[in-house]
Amino acid sequence: MPERESTVGVLEPETRKSTRTKVGFVSLGCPKNLVDSEVMMGLLAEAGAEITARAEDADVLVVNTCSFIESAQQESVNAILEMAQHKSAGRVKKLIVAGCLVERYRAQIQQDIPEVDAVVGTGELEQILAAAGIAQPRAAVPHSPFTILQSRPEGAARAEKGRFSRADWEGAAASLPQYLYDESTPRLLATPRHSAYIKIAEGCDHPCSFCIIPQLRGKFRSRRFESVVAEAEGLARAGAREITLIGQDTTCYGEDLGLKDGLALLLERLARVEELRWVRFLYAYPNKITGRLLEAMAAHEKICSYMDVPLQHASAAVLKRMQRGGGAELFLRSIEKMRRAVPGLTLRTTFIVGFPGETERDFEELCEFVRAAEFDWLGAFGYSDEEGAAAHALDRKLPRPEIERRRKHLMKVQQAISRRKKKALVGREFELLLEGESEESEWLWEGRTAMHAPEIDGKVYVNDLGRHAQARAGEFYRCRVTEAHDYDLVAELL
Ligand code: SF4
């Protein structure tokens, strides 16, 4: 599903001179890809490599790519070419390409970019050790949770209809990724210590016609309940105070393990981990938000009253062509239900505008819906025509400038809503997680409240530390909102 812009990530502070192989990482795309990078860095560090933040110091460079839409693919190729220059310049001995682009263009990458020494798909993260020339992959554990136990019936049915087929993808491996890390897999966090992602599931069984993630990432599969809990406890012991659960669709969590309301059960269990203060999840599928999940959110203070539900559109006709279902009326009813069940709920969504066949009327319906729903956060993406996605074969494609006009217009509609909603927060008090000094100015700090998911939402700038002589990143404070902008807030510590 469409998400935030790519991030180039990572790593550890520079360390002393060492003879260990130095590995540098560029991590592109979404937090799910970031977790894959963290796992690969963990495996490499455990095997004795040193992770470096400076490409020019690296012996081995890894680019973990995104291939969700064309612009992400282009950005990935640019990053590979940029890193290839370090190899041409001499010091870097190996260039490895990992991630979704490998699942799509495995053969072409090596053919067209001769500087690339090895490729590592999303289902073979442990191969990073051999690719970097550091070690052989760890031996498989008997009864490993890396092995898919069973599919959801929807997944099996969609497989039969060819949803996961790569037959038309020249140069791609035919087999789908099956890998899933577990709590014993080493992971080197690229996020600040106080906030970590946990990937609770991988792959996706949904039929959305614009999306190739199921072909890229494989069938939906959940990590075992105990494995997620053990990882969360380990992260909490190491200093994490906020855990964000991610997956292509977190609301299906546990269905393949025979769990009913698996996400609600998992959140409730994580809310009992003493050191954690905030537990949240991203990427809910609209018709998978159950009453039980809402009850869990309402009942536990530690479960953030925050829901990210990508709706993609509001016109029933467009949603049908997207193979998603639903419509404005149904969505408004379910939003009302969510808000009734979880008071103070923060609601985020994303939309795709300019989908093939989207009429002016469909688009106006979407704008009307956005005005009525009053989301707290909204992302709008212009439709991107992906070869291999079912929507590629649809007629009535819209010209690029028109798609962009609609995207901008929708963001303008949301801007007014956001401004009004942020203004209503002035004078109110919240718990704030201080993230660190602001990049904007040395006089400002930045933080987030439970209404702000990491990296994706607006910011809270702190311009007054109140009674605190000093403030510390990673600590929680009480704050009062003193100013509101279109998307960001200004607050003072109390
Ligand atoms: S639900 Fe699955 S198929 Fe639909 S947009 Fe998200 S990842 Fe793609």
Side-chain angles (χ1 to χ4, degrees), residues 142-153:
H143 309 299
S144 164
F146 300 165
T147 312
I148 292 183
L149 300 176
Q150 60 199 61
S151 300
R152 296 166 65 242

Side-chain angles (χ1 to χ4, degrees), residues 1-2 163 204 206-208 210-211 213-214 248-249 285 312 324:
M1 55 192 73
R163 176 61 171 128
C204 181
H206 292 298
C208 311
F210 52 82
C211 183
I213 283 177
Q248 311 300 336
D249 167 6
Y285 198 76
Q312 313 299 10
R324 285 181 63 93

Side-chain angles (χ1 to χ4, degrees), residues 88-155:
S88 315
R91 165 154 185 135
V92 172
K93 296 182 193 76
K94 277 180 198 273
L95 175 61
I96 301 168
V97 177
C100 286
L101 200 72
V102 174
E103 296 298 336
R104 177 68 186 85
Y105 298 107
R106 180 178 290 263
Q108 288 94 320
I109 293 169
Q110 285 183 295
Q111 231 164 30
D112 298 348
I113 313 177
E115 291 90 343
V116 174
D117 296 283
V119 291
V120 175
T122 60
E124 44 191 21
L125 299 189
E126 295 187 323
Q127 294 299 332
I128 193 69
L129 297 174
I134 286 171
Q136 288 309 306
R138 299 190 310 171
V141 182
H143 309 299
S144 164
F146 300 165
T147 312
I148 292 183
L149 300 176
Q150 60 199 61
S151 300
R152 296 166 65 242
E154 291 91 330

Side-chain angles (χ1 to χ4, degrees), residues 340-455:
R340 221 180 312 120
V342 187
L345 180 72
T346 299
L347 206 50
R348 160 173 271 280
T349 193
T350 43
F351 293 112
I352 294 175
V353 296
F355 189 77
E358 182 193 74
T359 60
E360 260 304 333
R361 219 183 138 135
D362 291 323
F363 179 63
E364 197 32 58
E365 188 178 348
L366 174 60
C367 295
E368 264 315 301
F369 169 72
V370 166
R371 285 185 199 101
E374 300 207 310
F375 294 98
D376 299 280
W377 306 111
L378 182 153
F381 295 81
Y383 171 73
S384 172
D385 202 27
E386 297 313 312
E387 235 178 276
H392 190 65
L394 291 177
D395 55 1
R396 293 189 284 147
K397 304 253 169 73
L398 274 73
R400 200 75 237 159
E402 177 58 15
I403 293 176
E404 190 50 18
R405 183 193 71 77
R406 292 185 188 188
R407 194 191 67 77
K408 282 189 178 147
H409 184 80
L410 185 64
M411 286 315 291
K412 210 118 202 117
V413 172
Q414 175 61 19
Q415 191 178 18
I417 295 164
S418 180
R419 190 183 309 133
R420 200 170 59 242
K421 293 198 87 153
K422 301 293 170 282
K423 225 170 159 187
L425 299 174
V426 174
R428 287 185 54 191
E429 292 181 17
F430 295 95
E431 186 175 44
L432 176 118
L433 171 57
L434 205 64
E435 297 255 69
E437 285 178 22
S438 171
E439 285 167 12
E440 305 276 317
S441 151
E442 55 182 311
W443 305 106
L444 287 177
W445 287 68
E446 281 177 21
R448 290 184 290 112
T449 71
M451 302 178 288
H452 302 79
E455 293 170 62

